[in-house]
């Protein structure tokens, strides 16, 4: 299957009217904090609470009626699972979602609310892809991969098309675009779409500190893996990247950034404080990288993708109750 700007545009037509056109938010308080013009694409406000509905729905709408009737399966820490569950319900299919047993409860509940069957696995002893593919074979299901499928990548790329339109509407010329990266579906789609119109923009992907699987893959030219362990940044916790996503990002001179759990907490607090936006840990990664490395982006116009907002209430309460980024804010104008 092909992937590129034309498949992204086709996906946009296919899912039009079924997903939300999420806002590109800004705040003078956030601009002051970062020393830059910051534009945040709020995919936390998307249907199901993350960008994932775009790729999942594009994929299900691309299946045959027989494939949808037989049912679909996804393996996911939660956001992709919710998206596939919702897309299945919207298209008359049934869905089975394979999730780690320690997945955030809000994501488990979301999958079930949309009518999906949830099958748990132990991430310490089991490989989710093995569990998922066994169920696919046993039940005759169609696998909807979380990232390494051009249909999924194209759907996620519609985030980038919207960004381009919103930049034009606001009269902004972007210097950089920063995207959270797990398997690479979102980052490959967004960067491909934005750089088609703005080839000069500097593209960045953000991964967990110490686990830069995409950055390593871009250097080695082959798919690299990291240990699959429970993580705070679960939305970017995939242990590997995709062959299709790696190939797409390899064409764009992408720079990898890394963020820590504490930096993500800072970003979650700042998104709530300055934008009144609830963002989950992994969904805050791009903003976290910008705040942590703001000297690098000083004076620039930076587009940041806030990819999801599915965070358990106790986690969000703990984050909001934590200490702020001491000494991180410039003096407030008087």
């Amino acid at each position: 299957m092909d992937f590129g700007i034309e498949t992204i545009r086709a996906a946009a037509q296919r899912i039009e009217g079924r997903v939300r056109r999420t806002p590109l938010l800004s705040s003078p308080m956030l601009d002051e904090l970062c020393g830059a013009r910051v534009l945040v694409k709020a995919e936390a406000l998307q249907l199901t609470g993350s960008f994932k509905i775009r790729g999942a729905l594009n994929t299900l709408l691309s299946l045959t009626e027989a494939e949808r009737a037989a049912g679909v399966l996804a393996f996911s820490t939660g956001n992709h699972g919710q998206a596939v569950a919702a897309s299945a319900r919207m298209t008359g299919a049934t869905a089975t979602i394979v999730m780690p047993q320690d997945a955030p409860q809000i994501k488990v509940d979301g999958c079930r609310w949309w009518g999906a069957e949830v099958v748990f696995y132990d991430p310490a002893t089991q490989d989710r892809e093995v569990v998922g593919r066994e169920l696919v074979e046993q039940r005759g299901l169609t696998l909807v991969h979380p990232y390494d499928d051009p249909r999924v990548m194209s759907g996620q790329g519609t985030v980038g098309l919207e960004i381009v339109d919103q930049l034009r509407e606001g009269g902004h010329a972007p210097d950089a675009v920063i995207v959270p990266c797990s398997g690479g579906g979102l980052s490959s789609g967004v960067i491909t779409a934005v750089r088609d119109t703005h080839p000069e923009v500097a593209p960045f992907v953000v991964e967990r500190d110490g686990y830069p699987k995409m950055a390593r893959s871009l250097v080695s030219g082959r798919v690299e893996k990291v240990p699959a362990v429970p993580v705070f940044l679960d939305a970017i916790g995939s242990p590997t990247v995709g062959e299709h996503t790696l190939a797409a990002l390899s064409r764009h001179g992408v720079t990898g950034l890394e963020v820590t759990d504490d930096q993500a907490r800072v970003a979650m607090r700042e998104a709530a404080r300055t934008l009144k936006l609830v963002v989950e840990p992994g969904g805050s990664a791009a903003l976290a990288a910008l705040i942590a490395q703001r000297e690098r982006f000083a004076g620039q116009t930076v587009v940041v993708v806030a990819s999801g907002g599915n965070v358990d209430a106790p986690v969000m309460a703990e984050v909001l109750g934590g200490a702020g980024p001491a000494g991180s804010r410039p003096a407030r104008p008087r």
Side-chain angles (χ1 to χ4, degrees):
M1 289 182 281
D2 293 331
F3 168 75
I5 191 62
E6 293 305 323
T7 66
I8 294 173
R9 289 173 178 152
Q13 293 181 342
R14 195 172 288 118
I15 67 176
E16 185 177 8
R18 296 173 180 260
V19 301
R20 295 172 184 158
R21 185 181 191 259
T22 56
L24 192 64
L25 302 177
S26 63
S27 162
M29 297 170 73
L30 190 57
D31 289 353
E32 179 189 83
L33 172 64
C34 297
R37 175 63 167 165
V38 184
L39 303 169
V40 179
K41 182 61 169 168
E43 283 296 290
L45 302 178
Q46 185 54 262
L47 185 65
T48 75
S50 87
F51 71 95
K52 290 282 193 176
I53 187 68
R54 298 172 182 267
L57 185 57
N58 184 54
T59 301
L60 265 77
L61 290 172
S62 301
L63 299 179
T64 65
E65 290 187 12
E67 287 172 324
R68 285 195 294 269
V72 297
L73 177 140
F75 42 81
S76 168
T77 56
N79 284 341
H80 178 60
Q82 290 183 88
V84 171
S87 299
R89 182 167 171 177
M90 293 165 69
T91 58
T94 59
T96 301
I97 311 300
V98 176
M99 303 182 72
Q101 60 190 21
D102 58 354
Q105 191 62 43
I106 189 174
K107 298 182 180 182
V108 176
D109 293 343
C111 291
R112 288 174 170 160
W113 188 91
W114 286 104
E117 175 190 359
V118 175
V119 176
F120 291 108
Y121 73 97
D122 182 356
T125 61
Q126 294 176 289
D127 184 315
R128 67 180 189 174
E129 294 202 26
V130 172
V131 174
R133 293 185 190 280
E134 286 178 352
L135 288 170
V136 164
E137 294 178 5
Q138 292 170 5
R139 302 182 182 185
L141 307 175
T142 295
L143 174 66
V144 182
H145 199 279
Y147 49 84
D148 203 27
D149 183 321
R151 296 168 297 188
V152 171
M153 296 159 61
S154 298
Q156 319 308 28
T158 64
V159 175
L161 290 184
E162 290 181 11
I163 288 171
V164 168
D165 288 343
Q166 291 163 324
L167 288 170
R168 183 177 61 251
E169 291 164 4
H172 303 297
D175 297 299
V177 58
I178 310 177
V179 191
C181 182
S182 188
L186 176 66
S187 53
S188 60
V190 169
I191 289 170
T192 297
V194 172
R195 280 177 58 85
D196 181 73
T197 300
H198 299 282
E200 74 290 347
V201 74
F204 297 83
V205 297
V206 186
E207 302 178 271
R208 294 184 292 139
D209 181 50
Y211 298 90
K213 54 192 179 298
M214 181 59 80
R216 292 173 183 169
S217 298
L218 288 167
V219 171
S220 70
R222 62 178 183 273
V223 171
E224 302 287 353
K225 295 184 178 181
V226 297
V229 295
V231 290
F232 180 67
L233 296 158
D234 63 283
I236 57 171
S238 170
T240 188
V241 302
E243 293 182 1
H244 293 292
T245 59
L246 173 59
L249 288 174
S250 294
R251 296 192 285 268
H252 292 287
V254 174
T255 299
L257 304 175
E258 298 177 40
V259 293
T260 65
D261 292 356
D262 284 344
Q263 288 168 344
R265 290 184 176 94
V266 168
M268 293 169 70
R269 285 194 291 272
E270 292 303 326
R273 181 181 74 91
T274 64
L275 301 172
K276 315 310 172 192
L277 182 68
V278 173
V279 185
E280 66 187 273
S284 75
L287 180 58
L290 173 59
I291 294 172
Q293 300 192 36
R294 54 193 176 278
E295 294 83 3
R296 179 177 197 160
F297 299 96
Q300 299 184 25
T301 296
V302 184
V303 177
V304 169
V305 178
S307 57
N310 292 309
V311 54
D312 284 339
V315 174
M316 194 67 195
E318 178 272 323
V319 168
L320 292 178
S328 64
R329 299 189 189 95
R332 184 171 55 192
R334 297 185 182 277

